[in-house]
Every structure is written in structure tokens, then in C-alpha cells.
């Protein structure tokens, strides 16, 4: 009788109540929960002071749920650390997006419809499987930050030279054998990371980046320190660690915003360790930047 009564009572319970009770047995993700309860997915939107954001981080997704393309209000979208293989063209419907984070997926390409994201300022596509960047990305004229590190890129489309507002560019951990020519047209760049590629030299055109404050080219196979780099006097952090540099240009002292020889990767200054510097440069580096600059200046004028 007691068992029969219990079964009868369970039939009378509201499905929503049953779902809530079921949480003790099975833990639903917040967005699964919302859909199962028949709620509007907009209830998952977070409305901060600056952006309306939506996050589906580390959900194990192989596909993006269709309801997302109806959330036109989204300005900050985080789909990082899933297993996405394709970013569908429907992403072009989210025209208010300012920040798009796709890092840590399995994307091999981006759709040309990304050009419709005219408000986009920040794009993270690092740690994917990209073999190319679509030329249409150049139409996102408000883009300020672009990270495509840890992919399989060996070139960039020439059209990216049109990203006149781009300030920070991360190309590290790819397959570049030279810095793409379009990069030297990005006059507003203040941060450029090309570390852990296959570079053998730094083009003389580096001097065109007059606003550059941080330049990281560590862990390549760069053979020489170009004199033109000494003309980028805005540099505050220059990292050339782990290369094949033997000599330093006499004009190095022109980089007056480099305050010290830096040993910690996070510190500003000149990073030149783990290079086969010819004598007496190793001892001068150990003595500090002032000693090194003084030697090079005297050498130039002697």
C-alpha cells in the first residue's frame, strides 16, 4: 500500500519539480537546465556594466547550440575550451559582439561571415588548428586585439594590413619563417609576439612599427640583430632569448626605454640570454645594460 501510494504521488508531481529533485542524481549544466525547464536562454545572459556576456566554457561541445544565434544582444561571447571543429556562418548574426573567445578548440578555419562582426574589438582563436586566416577578417575594422597563437599558420592574408586600429597581435607558436609583410603596415601596434616560430631574421621593415612597446621573438633561429630594430625607440620590452645571435649593433643604446637586462620573462627590459654572443658581450650583459650600452657607444665612436 505504501509503495502504491508513493508511485501515485510521483505521477502527480509537476515535471519541473521532478527535474529539481533529479538534480541530486544528475548534475545538469546551467544551459541544459534552462532548456529542459523551458526557460528563455536569455536568462543566461549576464548584463555587466560594460557588456552583455554569454559563456559556454569547457562544456565538451562539438557543436554550438542553435539557440545561441538568436541572442542578438550578446556583446561578449566565450566558447573557449570545447571541442568545436566548425564555427558556423550563423556567427555573422551576432553583430553586436565586441569580444569573441574561441581558444582551445579544434577549429581549422573561420567563416568569411566573421566580416559581419563590425563591432568586434577582441578576437582570441589561439590553441586551435588553423591553417589560414580568412581575408574577410580585414573588414572588422574596429579590431584592436588578435591572438592566433598555437595554431598551424605560415602566412597571413595581405588584406590584414587594413586593420588600422590593431594594437596587439600574437602570432607565437606557429610555422612562420618570416614576419608577414602585412604586419609592418599596422602602425598602431604596441605589442607583437612572434616567439616559437621558424624565423631566421627580422626584416628591416620592423622600423615601420614606431608605436611598438613590446616585441617578443624568443625561441626562433634568428641569426642577427637588425640595426633597424634600434630605430623602434618606443620599445620597453625586447625579448630575443633562445636564438642564434652572435653580435649586437652599436646603435643598441638608442633603445633608451629599455631600462635593464631582464632575466624574468615578465619583466620589461632587454632579454638576450641563451644566444651564442661573441666575447666580450656575455660579460657585458652580466654587468648590466648601462655597461653594455657604454661599450657599444664607445665602439661606435672609436
Amino acid at each position: 500500500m505504501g509503495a502504491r501510494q508513493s508511485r501515485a504521488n510521483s505521477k502527480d508531481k509537476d515535471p519541473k519539480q521532478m527535474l529539481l529533485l533529479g538534480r541530486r542524481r544528475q548534475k545538469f549544466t546551467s544551459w541544459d537546465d534552462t532548456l529542459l525547464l523551458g526557460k528563455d536562454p536569455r536568462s543566461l545572459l549576464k548584463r555587466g556594466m560594460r557588456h552583455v556576456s554569454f559563456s559556454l566554457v569547457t562544456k565538451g561541445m562539438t557543436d554550438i547550440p542553435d539557440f545561441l544565434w538568436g541572442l542578438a544582444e550578446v556583446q561578449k561571447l566565450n566558447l573557449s575550451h570545447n571541442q568545436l571543429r566548425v564555427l558556423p556562418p550563423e556567427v555573422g548574426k551576432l553583430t553586436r559582439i565586441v569580444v569573441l573567445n574561441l581558444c582551445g578548440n579544434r577549429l581549422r578555419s573561420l567563416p568569411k561571415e566573421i566580416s559581419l562582426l563590425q563591432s568586434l574589438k577582441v578576437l582570441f582563436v589561439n590553441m586551435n588548428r588553423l591553417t589560414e586566416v580568412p581575408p574577410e577578417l580585414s573588414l572588422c575594422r574596429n579590431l584592436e586585439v588578435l591572438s592566433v597563437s598555437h595554431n598551424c599558420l605560415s602566412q597571413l592574408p595581405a588584406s590584414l594590413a587594413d586593420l588600422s586600429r590593431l594594437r596587439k597581435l600574437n602570432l607565437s607558436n606557429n610555422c612562420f619563417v618570416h614576419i608577414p609583410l602585412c604586419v609592418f603596415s599596422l602602425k598602431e601596434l604596441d605589442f607583437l609576439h612572434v616567439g616559437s616560430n621558424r624565423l631566421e631574421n627580422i626584416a628591416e621593415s620592423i622600423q615601420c612599427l614606431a608605436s611598438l612597446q613590446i616585441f617578443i621573438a624568443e625561441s626562433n633561429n634568428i641569426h642577427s640583430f637588425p640595426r633597424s630594430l634600434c630605430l623602434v625607440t618606443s620599445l620597453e620590452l625586447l625579448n630575443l632569448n633562445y636564438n642564434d645571435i652572435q653580435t649586437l649593433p652599436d646603435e643598441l643604446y638608442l633603445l633608451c626605454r629599455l631600462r635593464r637586462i631582464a632575466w624574468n620573462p615578465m619583466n620589461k627590459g632587454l632579454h638576450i640570454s641563451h644566444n651564442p654572443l661573441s666575447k666580450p658581450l656575455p660579460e657585458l650583459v652580466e654587468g648590466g645594460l648601462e655597461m653594455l650600452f657604454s661599450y657599444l657607444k664607445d665602439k661606435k665612436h672609436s
Side-chain angles (χ1 to χ4, degrees):
M1 182 72 179
R4 226 177 274 144
Q5 177 90 28
S6 175
R7 282 196 294 272
N9 287 344
S10 67
K11 288 179 182 178
D12 294 336
K13 284 186 178 177
D14 185 85
K16 293 182 180 180
Q17 292 178 334
M18 292 294 290
L19 178 59
L20 293 173
L21 290 172
R23 283 177 176 167
R24 296 175 184 174
R25 300 173 196 159
Q26 179 180 4
K27 187 176 181 181
F28 290 104
T29 62
S30 57
W31 60 285
D32 280 337
D33 213 2
T34 298
L35 295 179
L36 287 167
L37 288 171
K39 292 182 181 177
D40 187 340
R42 285 179 174 79
S43 65
L44 294 176
L45 293 173
K46 294 183 179 179
R47 301 180 183 274
M49 292 183 64
R50 296 185 62 186
H51 298 120
V52 176
S53 61
F54 188 84
S55 178
L56 292 175
V57 178
T58 321
K59 301 296 184 185
M61 298 187 304
T62 55
D63 297 294
I64 300 172
D66 288 339
F67 72 77
L68 179 58
W69 313 126
L71 305 180
E73 312 94 307
V74 175
Q75 295 171 292
K76 189 174 181 180
L77 177 60
N78 192 342
L79 301 175
S80 63
H81 301 290
N82 282 289
Q83 299 177 43
L84 303 176
R85 296 179 183 273
V86 176
L87 181 66
E90 284 82 1
V91 71
K93 295 180 179 180
L94 305 180
T95 55
R96 297 184 188 178
I97 283 187
V98 177
V99 180
L100 177 57
N101 189 342
L102 299 166
C103 83
N105 280 286
R106 300 180 180 181
L107 301 174
R108 295 186 181 275
S109 62
L110 296 174
K112 63 182 181 180
E113 286 79 7
I114 201 163
S115 64
L116 300 175
L117 308 184
Q118 294 294 300
S119 298
L120 189 64
K121 291 186 177 181
V122 179
L123 175 60
F124 292 110
V125 207
N126 39 309
M127 293 185 286
N128 276 279
R129 300 176 181 178
L130 297 181
T131 57
E132 61 181 4
V133 172
E136 290 82 4
L137 183 61
S138 63
L139 298 175
C140 297
R141 299 295 171 83
N142 288 305
L143 197 63
E144 297 179 4
V145 178
L146 173 61
S147 178
V148 291
S149 71
H150 294 84
N151 278 286
C152 308
L153 300 170
S154 59
Q155 58 186 356
L156 293 179
S159 61
L160 294 196
D162 294 334
L163 295 176
S164 59
R165 296 187 179 182
L166 197 66
R167 296 186 298 106
K168 303 186 187 302
L169 176 61
N170 191 339
L171 303 177
S172 66
N173 291 274
N174 277 287
C175 306
F176 294 102
V177 296
H178 56 77
I179 299 174
L181 288 176
C182 62
V183 171
F184 302 123
S185 298
L186 304 174
K187 307 301 184 186
E188 296 300 312
L189 271 192
D190 58 38
F191 176 99
L192 175 60
H193 194 339
V194 292
S196 299
N197 276 286
R198 301 173 184 174
L199 305 180
E200 294 190 359
N201 61 68
I202 299 171
E204 296 290 320
S205 301
I206 194 71
Q207 64 187 298
C208 298
L209 302 181
S211 299
L212 200 59
Q213 297 176 22
I214 296 176
F215 179 45
I216 303 171
E218 65 177 347
S219 301
N220 280 287
N221 194 31
I222 297 168
H223 301 304
S224 63
F225 190 126
R227 283 181 166 77
S228 58
L229 188 54
C230 299
L231 301 178
V232 188
T233 55
S234 54
L235 280 172
E236 298 178 5
L237 187 159
L238 173 58
N239 190 337
L240 294 170
N241 287 346
Y242 294 97
N243 276 288
D244 190 37
I245 297 170
Q246 299 181 38
T247 62
L248 298 176
D250 298 342
E251 296 84 358
L252 186 64
Y253 67 88
L254 295 175
L255 297 177
C256 55
R257 293 193 182 183
L258 297 179
R259 301 298 186 187
R260 57 183 168 182
I261 300 291
W263 305 101
N264 186 319
M266 302 303 293
N267 288 343
K268 290 184 177 181
L270 174 63
H271 300 251
I272 198 66
S273 64
H274 301 282
N275 280 281
L277 295 173
S278 58
K279 291 186 176 182
L281 293 177
E283 292 80 8
L284 294 165
V285 168
E286 289 286 344
L289 196 60
E290 188 174 343
M291 182 182 292
L292 178 62
F293 278 0
S294 179
Y295 168 79
L296 293 171
K297 192 181 298 185
D298 291 345
K299 184 168 172 281
K300 177 177 175 62
H301 293 102
S302 62

